[in-house]
Amino acid sequence: MRTAERTVDRSLARDVGAIGLAVFAVGMSFGAIAVAAGLPAWAVIAMSIVVFAGGSQFMAVGLVAAGNPFAAVFAGLLLNARHLPFGLAVADAVGTGWRRRLIGSHILIDESVAFTMAQSDPASRRRAYWLTGATLFVSWNVGGVLGVMLGGAVGDTDALGLDAAFPAGLIALLLPSLRDPETRNVALAGTLVAVVTTPLLPAGLPVLLALSGLLLMRRNGGGL
């Protein structure tokens, strides 16, 4: 039994380490892009520590740079609304006590939830949640600081292709989910809406309108 637990822990540590490296690279990309977009270095670092939400941070930087801060706030709230059901699903892994709940809620992200949900017994769920959340928090912020330094030194981050790192990382994370036909159709519908409306609407609105792809789930009886 103990041998089986060690095998599971080694496998978990290996998988978390691999995704930690990817998050480090994406965090570095975010830091460089945010500085190049005109945000002060201290604001970029503070955002990464306090917000700790990669997708929302990239979106916020893009919308603020485009002069649409209200859309950034609204889109961030909408995008992170998923954390409510996530929190309910992994509450047992976070633990009791205000300190564990306060810190645990801060490191609640897609990856920590996914690794936790993949475990069956309570002890493994706790290990998966805290190991994933803590590792990715450190990776994201260390990468962000290095990105800020790199962005300040390089200037034009597009020349190094750093602007493509985040979309590439997201696509890599999404690919397994796209094997499901319903998920794939929802993603394609949302993408089509965003692409068609991008030349016509202010920055940020096409991303919000892309959520209309979820209507396909309701029409097919999948619920929202």
Side-chain angles (χ1 to χ4, degrees):
M1 184 68 179
R2 184 171 294 276
T3 302
E5 287 180 356
R6 288 176 178 171
T7 302
V8 171
D9 286 347
R10 281 199 295 268
S11 175
L12 176 64
R14 181 196 59 207
D15 293 343
V16 171
I19 199 166
L21 289 176
V23 167
F24 171 80
V26 176
M28 197 164 62
S29 167
F30 169 75
I33 290 173
V35 169
L39 268 69
W42 67 266
V44 177
I45 294 171
M47 180 192 289
S48 289
I49 294 174
V50 175
V51 178
F52 184 43
S56 296
Q57 289 182 227
F58 271 100
M59 184 173 59
V61 168
L63 292 176
V64 169
N68 204 343
F70 294 106
V73 174
F74 181 72
L77 291 173
L78 194 62
L79 188 61
N80 288 313
R82 70 190 189 283
H83 286 180
L84 178 59
F86 282 1
L88 294 174
V90 300
D92 63 307
V94 174
T96 58
W98 68 268
R99 186 175 302 172
R100 290 179 69 87
R101 289 190 178 277
L102 184 63
I103 299 174
S105 62
H106 190 55
I107 60 174
L108 190 153
I109 54 175
D110 296 355
E111 292 84 353
S112 59
V113 173
F115 276 95
T116 302
M117 298 293 287
Q119 309 301 320
S120 55
D121 64 277
S124 297
R125 286 169 59 85
R126 283 195 296 273
R127 283 197 295 271
Y129 184 82
W130 287 98
L131 178 64
T132 307
T135 300
L136 299 193
F137 181 81
V138 173
S139 300
W140 175 254
N141 283 287
V142 172
V145 171
L146 291 178
V148 167
M149 298 168 62
L150 181 65
V154 172
D156 185 9
T157 54
D158 292 358
L160 297 178
L162 292 177
D163 56 320
F166 182 64
L170 277 184
I171 290 173
L173 291 173
L174 286 174
L175 280 179
S177 302
L178 296 180
R179 292 172 184 161
D180 175 62
E182 186 176 40
T183 303
R184 188 167 58 244
N185 290 336
V186 169
L188 288 174
T191 302
L192 180 62
V193 171
V195 169
V196 170
T197 56
T198 292
L200 307 174
L201 298 175
L205 289 181
V207 176
L208 298 177
L209 289 176
L211 294 174
S212 61
L214 291 171
L215 294 176
L216 285 177
M217 293 183 67
R218 180 180 289 276
R219 196 181 68 177
N220 295 334
L224 289 174

